[in-house]
Amino acid sequence: MSGRPVPCDAAELSTLFLFEKLDGDQLERLCREGRTERFDPGPVYTEGDPATCFYVLLEGTVVMSRRVGGDDVEISRTSQRGVYAGAMQAYLSSPGDAQYKGSMRVTEPSRFFVLPAAGFAAILRDWFPMAVHLLEGMFFGSQNAQRTIGQRERLLALGSLSAGLTHELNNPAAAAVRATSALRDRVAHMRQKLGMIAAGPYARDALETLVEIQERTAEQVAKATPLSPLEASDREDALADWLDDHDIAGGWQLAPTFVQAGLDTDWLDQVAAAVDGPTLEGAVRWLNYTVETELLMNEIEDSTTRISHLVDAAKQYSQMDRAPYQVSDVHELLDSTLMMLAGKMGSGIEVVKEYDRALPRIPAYPGELNQVWTNLIDNAVSAMGGEGTLTVRTAPDGDHLLVEFRDSGPGVPPEIRDRIFDPFFTTKPVGEGTGLGLDISWRIVVNKHHGSLMVQSVPGDTRFQVRLPLTVSETAAEAAVKSSEEPS
């Protein structure tokens, strides 16, 4: 928006804190290079437009805002003379296609000193060459440092996830190895016991009945329901008494296995009715090996299934072999991240899921959203010191989807709440944080997904809220698809 030109007064410029140290010749050059303009209430410039001018407020009220999703969020409002905005980085030697980083509007008739970007850059280089070099060094150095440390942040997160995944995989893998070794031993004993039974004084029909009982026993193991500790103890006592009454030695050792398989004294009565008294003990021990074998195979199946689920979670988390931009279920992404971080959270963190499963799938970059979840969960775990409750909630929020991470930690102090999304700001000890986790998360959510990321915090209840649009515009979708198709 262009204002109405009015005469430039060098004396007036000298009253502003920005120009108070300039001499008369410098002030006259400013008036030659720039101009004074009056603006009616409304926009002065809009975020994303080419940054063509540098604005200094002479009188009036300005409102600065940034676009978050489809909304303009007010950043500041002031009537202080001399505040400036606009093409503040025009001095850079290679600004490229510089754009306004936010929007500015005025709420009442206001006057500005307006300096074209090219003139602003020339004046700075002529008057303050050393300062320009320092500013360029700070700007590009900060960009490079942010890029390098951002990569380091990702590597640290990857290392932490890898350690957690290795730990999670080790437990079921070790269990499967132990169960396999025990299974081999039980099968060997079963073969020996079968040979003894075959050589014993069993009638043909008794063997057939015994084999039938064995088949039913294997089926029963698969259907066994867990018992409470008290129920299991009572049933073990009853089985041990039955075995002792039938002169089977070591009944107290056999009873727990039978109870775990869901067997009771009625089952033992069926076995006793199928064989003669002298051969009952051999038959019971042979069936005990059957039960142990089935239980061990169940353990192996559970362990390998757990490993398979962990591998699936790792693939879901990393989005291996998937398009960068796709329609995704946020609950799948959250579950895979929580599973990947389970080892880091440990037993001291209780995870509560409050999912609204009716929420639709959304267009997103799932791999990058997983990075956001990782950063927010990691921060919550660190804030709680490894002890507390982490609640992950999803809910509809107008035309957005809300993902909220709530922790029971001490909270974010009010004096730093406005800085936590700044690059390199961290409250963690040296060596434990780079200060880029929340900055990266903010850029992924706001810049890439056109959503919002904000925090609400009181002691015992800190909530990081991510809002993601349920749909995207055709222009944004085309840009996303084009970006995902470009080679990295």
Side-chain angles (χ1 to χ4, degrees):
M1 176 178 176
S2 178
R4 300 189 304 274
V6 295
C8 177
D9 184 354
E12 183 180 27
L13 295 184
S14 68
T15 64
L16 304 177
F17 64 85
L18 193 62
F19 303 132
E20 62 185 359
K21 300 297 183 182
L22 301 183
D23 59 33
D25 291 339
Q26 290 173 320
L27 291 170
E28 288 298 330
R29 180 177 177 182
L30 284 177
C31 277
R32 289 196 307 272
E33 296 277 357
R35 60 190 182 272
T36 301
E37 291 188 19
R38 184 180 297 277
F39 289 82
D40 293 327
V44 177
Y45 62 77
T46 303
E47 180 177 348
D49 288 347
T52 57
C53 294
F54 176 72
Y55 295 84
V56 183
L57 180 66
L58 298 174
E59 63 175 328
T61 301
V62 298
V63 176
M64 304 298 301
S65 62
R66 290 291 304 273
R67 187 176 301 127
V68 178
D71 303 321
D72 282 333
V73 178
E74 183 174 321
I75 304 300
S76 65
R77 180 186 296 251
T78 182
S79 299
Q80 181 182 357
R81 298 179 70 249
V83 296
Y84 52 88
M88 292 185 294
Q89 295 172 349
Y91 60 84
L92 296 177
S93 57
S94 57
D97 55 341
Q99 299 175 335
Y100 290 119
K101 306 300 182 184
S103 299
M104 182 170 71
R105 60 186 174 89
V106 294
T107 60
E108 61 180 325
S110 303
R111 282 192 309 123
F112 290 89
F113 172 67
V114 183
L115 190 58
F120 179 45
I123 287 174
L124 281 181
R125 295 193 188 101
D126 290 346
W127 294 351
F128 314 108
M130 182 175 177
V132 169
H133 286 303
L134 290 172
L135 288 170
E136 282 188 327
M138 289 176 60
F139 179 80
F140 291 118
S142 175
Q143 277 193 331
N144 292 334
Q146 187 167 340
R147 188 179 303 112
T148 301
I149 296 179
Q151 294 172 347
R152 175 66 174 171
E153 179 92 6
R154 291 178 174 87
L155 287 174
L156 287 172
L158 179 61
S160 177
L161 288 171
S162 298
L165 180 61
T166 301
H167 174 77
E168 290 296 307
L169 285 171
N170 181 65
N171 291 334
V177 170
R178 289 193 302 269
T180 302
S181 175
L183 179 61
R184 181 177 291 110
D185 179 69
R186 297 304 186 276
V187 171
H189 282 79
M190 184 184 290
R191 289 196 299 267
Q192 296 174 4
K193 188 62 65 177
L194 180 60
M196 294 172 61
I197 290 175
Y202 288 91
R204 181 182 180 89
D205 56 345
L207 284 174
E208 290 177 351
T209 302
L210 200 55
V211 170
E212 181 184 349
I213 292 175
Q214 182 187 34
E215 292 296 328
R216 292 205 309 269
T217 301
E219 293 176 2
Q220 178 63 30
V221 173
K223 299 176 183 178
T225 56
L227 301 175
S228 68
L230 183 59
E231 291 173 330
S233 177
D234 290 342
R235 186 173 292 187
E236 285 177 15
D237 290 341
L239 285 171
D241 291 342
W242 190 97
L243 293 169
D244 289 342
D245 291 342
H246 290 76
D247 299 325
I248 297 176
W252 61 273
Q253 293 176 311
L254 301 176
T257 302
F258 290 151
V259 170
Q260 188 178 356
L263 306 179
D264 54 20
T265 53
D266 291 340
W267 174 79
L268 289 176
D269 287 337
Q270 295 179 37
V271 178
V275 297
D276 297 331
T279 57
L280 176 60
E281 181 172 355
V284 168
R285 293 191 181 279
W286 177 54
L287 292 175
N288 177 65
Y289 288 130
T290 298
V291 171
E292 288 185 330
T293 300
E294 290 295 323
L295 291 174
L296 288 169
M297 286 192 292
N298 286 347
E299 185 176 348
I300 293 171
E301 182 180 18
D302 290 343
S303 298
T304 52
T305 299
R306 170 69 174 165
I307 292 172
S308 178
H309 287 166
L310 285 168
V311 172
D312 286 343
K315 290 179 67 177
Q316 173 69 257
Y317 180 85
S318 65
Q319 292 295 299
M320 186 186 302
D321 301 327
R322 300 188 183 189
Y325 185 79
Q326 58 182 288
V327 177
S328 307
D329 184 342
V330 293
H331 303 110
E332 292 179 358
L333 305 181
L334 290 167
D335 285 341
S336 67
T337 305
L338 287 168
M339 184 173 289
M340 293 290 288
L341 292 173
K344 185 170 187 177
M345 286 188 283
S347 59
I349 301 293
E350 179 188 2
V351 177
V352 177
K353 298 179 183 179
E354 297 179 357
Y355 291 170
D356 183 348
R357 295 287 186 179
L359 288 169
R361 297 162 68 88
I362 62 170
Y365 295 87
E368 299 195 31
L369 285 183
N370 281 338
Q371 187 176 0
V372 174
W373 313 150
T374 300
N375 290 335
L376 297 181
I377 293 172
D378 182 66
N379 282 350
V381 172
S382 297
M384 291 185 286
E387 296 284 342
T389 301
L390 171 66
T391 303
V392 183
R393 183 172 72 94
T394 63
D397 188 5
D399 58 354
H400 285 67
L401 180 152
L402 170 68
V403 181
E404 181 181 79
F405 298 86
R406 183 167 74 244
D407 70 68
S408 58
V412 182
E415 60 270 17
I416 68 169
R417 205 168 295 162
D418 293 336
R419 302 177 57 198
I420 59 175
F421 295 110
D422 292 347
F424 307 111
F425 179 79
T426 181
T427 58
K428 295 179 181 178
V430 175
E432 292 188 17
T434 61
L436 282 179
L438 289 178
D439 171 60
I440 290 172
S441 299
W442 193 90
R443 285 188 282 113
I444 289 173
V445 172
V446 176
N447 294 347
K448 201 149 192 178
H449 288 85
H450 308 291
S452 67
L453 173 58
M454 57 188 64
V455 62
Q456 299 175 356
S457 183
V458 295
D461 187 357
T462 297
R463 306 182 184 205
F464 280 88
Q465 297 176 328
V466 177
R467 288 176 173 83
L468 300 167
L470 294 172
T471 58
V472 294
S473 65
E474 292 184 8
T475 303
E478 290 172 1
V481 171
K482 182 178 179 181
S483 173
S484 66
E485 291 175 348
E486 291 177 353
S488 58

